[in-house]
Amino acid sequence: MNEAAPPNDACAGLIVLARNPTDSVTEGFLPAAARLGLPVALLTDQPDAHREAYGRYARERGGGGPLPGELDIVPCDVLDFRAVIARIAAGTSRVGAPAAVFTNSDHLQAQAALAAGYFGLPGKDWRAAYRTKNKAELRRALAAAGLDAVRSAELAPDDDPDGHGIPYPCVLKPREGVASEDVFLVADDAELAARCREIRDRRPGAALVLEEYLDGTLHTLETLGDGHTLHPLASFRTDISPPPHFIEERLRLLPEPPRPATDQVLTQLRALGVGFGACHTEYVDQGGRARIIEVNYRAIGDQCDLVLAEALDLPLFELVLRTHLGERLPRTLEARRGVRVRMEYVCAGRDGVLKAAPDAHLGEADGVRLDYRPLREVGERHPLYRTNRDFLGVLRATGRDEERIDAAVREFLAAHRWEIVP
């Protein structure tokens, strides 16, 4: 039973909405909240997973970092904005009135925005959060603004994919999907029908989107805004797996966000209503024309945000939280430039049990810092997802010479073994 009022020692603090634990929250935003002196209540529909993740993180660091006793982990149906508002209003042992409502989850941006608005707090426009999550609405909004018209068709759960009018090859994806899950390049009517059945078997009732294939070099644009100023922080160039899947295999931090593509993406983001907090946008550069693939209205994940804060020498996570506390960003951010980063993901090629894999590694040689983090424990059995859930580990290589970085990555991968058995 929820208490009618929070205990007297509870004070204003940060409400975080989350589903599964992520490195962005565990290693980024929660420590940043602690540095800002904010008590935290984390509302989640997976409380046990979060307790386990924070306990493991603290043990690995000798007791440092967020501990389960240092924040409230509160069970809540976070997908329902009404449940979120009701739970925040009831208060918790550490947080009474909310000072900010924040999430870094793709699934919860609209819920967090609605809750922040209900309590009169700074936050994202819930319409922009919805517009970016719904890939069909994203295309309609950009076309209506006269900025980019990508040929697309929305398929309701029972719609027959025949007669869609999109030229092949084209991309099929869930309308509200994330992380390239169930995203396919399809070549003809027969393959489209088969992929639709496959996705609908896994996602009963899900709407799908079919859209033209945007060929070109894949980039990201990482932005940070306060509702007034929108800063282009950084850009990665992304290598993806061969079709028909779209799995990120590596990312390279570029020296500067490239022009004129960055200016074009910023214009499209403003038209979508995006400009508060962090945003991770993926686009392809077609001969100087930036065409958006998708907009993720949150910080980049898969440890790229952690390495980005180090490379730019910016308190990135604190800056994001400060915007949600109502603080204005500086008109210019003094980000360090010149540091090169390569993120290399070791990906499972089959389902089964991980029999052998290297331990965590941290070292520096020849001007390159290597940080390898296992993402799956030896002995775990997993199916093959064809998404970033297949990652076995991530190698972060940082330096100032790209050739030395590439050589160090090659040497590390050649010296270690990842073995999966049936």
Side-chain angles (χ1 to χ4, degrees):
M1 179 180 298
N2 292 342
E3 299 179 25
N8 292 333
D9 58 351
C11 57
L14 175 66
I15 303 294
V16 177
L17 308 186
R19 300 209 69 199
N20 58 294
T22 64
D23 292 333
S24 297
V25 172
T26 305
E27 299 187 37
F29 289 109
L30 289 182
R35 290 190 291 270
L36 292 173
L38 290 170
V40 177
L42 186 140
L43 277 56
T44 178
D45 55 1
Q46 301 177 38
D48 290 341
H50 283 270
R51 293 188 184 98
E52 181 182 348
Y54 304 147
R56 182 171 61 249
Y57 174 67
R59 289 192 299 273
E60 290 172 353
R61 285 150 184 79
L67 297 169
E70 295 176 346
L71 74 158
D72 286 336
I73 299 176
V74 183
C76 180
D77 180 7
V78 286
L79 289 171
D80 185 342
F81 74 93
R82 296 161 298 186
V84 170
I85 290 172
R87 195 62 194 83
I88 294 173
T92 74
S93 62
R94 289 183 59 82
V95 177
V101 180
F102 169 77
T103 186
N104 200 53
S105 169
D106 281 308
H107 303 282
L108 304 176
Q109 293 298 331
Q111 293 88 331
L114 287 165
Y118 180 84
F119 291 103
L121 300 171
K124 296 171 181 174
D125 183 337
W126 72 266
R127 293 163 295 189
Y130 172 80
R131 193 178 295 131
T132 52
K133 182 71 165 63
N134 183 311
K135 293 172 174 57
E137 188 62 17
L138 170 78
R139 294 301 182 204
R140 286 190 286 264
L142 289 175
L147 295 172
D148 194 17
V150 174
R151 287 170 290 185
S152 64
E154 187 173 2
L155 303 177
D158 296 326
D159 281 354
D160 191 312
D162 289 346
H164 52 78
I166 311 300
Y168 291 109
C170 54
V171 177
L172 178 68
K173 61 179 74 172
R175 189 182 63 190
E176 281 94 12
V178 297
S180 297
E181 294 185 8
D182 285 326
V183 180
F184 298 100
L185 186 68
V186 294
D188 52 37
D189 287 342
E191 186 176 3
L192 173 60
R195 292 300 191 187
C196 283
R197 288 192 298 270
E198 182 180 337
I199 297 173
R200 286 166 171 168
D201 284 345
R202 283 191 292 265
R203 299 171 180 254
L208 306 178
V209 169
L210 191 65
E211 60 185 36
E212 69 173 286
Y213 174 50
L214 300 178
D215 194 14
T217 304
L218 183 62
H219 292 81
T220 83
L221 182 64
E222 314 308 323
T223 57
L224 177 62
D226 58 12
H228 303 273
T229 301
L230 183 58
H231 293 286
L233 290 179
S235 181
F236 290 89
R237 186 176 69 249
T238 306
D239 294 334
I240 59 175
S241 62
H245 305 285
F246 297 87
I247 307 168
E248 294 179 351
E249 296 182 333
R250 70 189 54 83
L251 289 88
R252 297 177 187 271
L253 179 64
L254 301 178
E256 296 272 356
R259 309 284 179 175
T262 293
D263 296 326
Q264 296 170 14
V265 173
L266 290 176
T267 297
Q268 294 179 68
L269 291 178
R270 292 187 179 99
L272 293 168
V274 170
F276 189 93
C279 186
H280 163 61
T281 304
E282 299 178 2
Y283 72 95
V284 295
D285 189 334
Q286 294 184 332
R289 180 187 179 193
R291 308 197 73 186
I292 286 179
I293 300 293
E294 65 179 30
V295 177
N296 303 282
Y297 208 173
R298 43 108 176 136
I300 188 173
D302 293 322
Q303 300 194 15
C304 290
D305 46 0
L306 300 171
V307 77
L308 189 61
E310 295 175 2
L312 299 181
D313 193 24
L314 283 175
L316 178 60
F317 299 98
E318 288 94 327
L319 288 172
V320 174
L321 293 181
R322 285 182 183 279
T323 64
H324 287 264
L325 292 166
E327 298 184 23
R328 295 285 293 269
L329 293 168
R331 292 190 61 83
T332 58
L333 292 175
E334 299 300 326
R336 177 173 59 191
R337 301 295 180 184
V339 175
R340 310 303 292 267
V341 176
R342 173 172 167 176
M343 304 291 293
E344 187 77 18
Y345 299 102
V346 181
C347 196
R350 55 167 299 171
D351 60 351
V353 176
L354 182 61
K355 181 180 178 182
D359 294 328
H361 168 84
L362 180 62
E364 186 167 348
D366 199 25
V368 178
R369 183 175 184 265
L370 288 179
D371 185 350
Y372 174 74
R373 307 279 189 91
L375 298 177
R376 189 179 296 183
E377 294 185 7
V378 172
E380 287 188 27
R381 173 178 292 277
H382 284 268
L384 189 64
Y385 297 102
R386 302 290 186 186
T387 72
N388 63 3
R389 287 192 287 171
D390 293 326
F391 292 165
L392 303 176
V394 56
L395 180 62
R396 297 155 47 172
T398 308
R400 290 188 173 271
D401 187 297
E402 193 162 0
E403 290 186 1
R404 291 183 179 180
I405 287 174
D406 289 343
V409 170
R410 286 195 299 270
E411 291 172 6
F412 182 90
L413 296 177
H416 295 88
R417 181 171 62 96
W418 292 260
E419 182 182 355
I420 296 177
V421 297

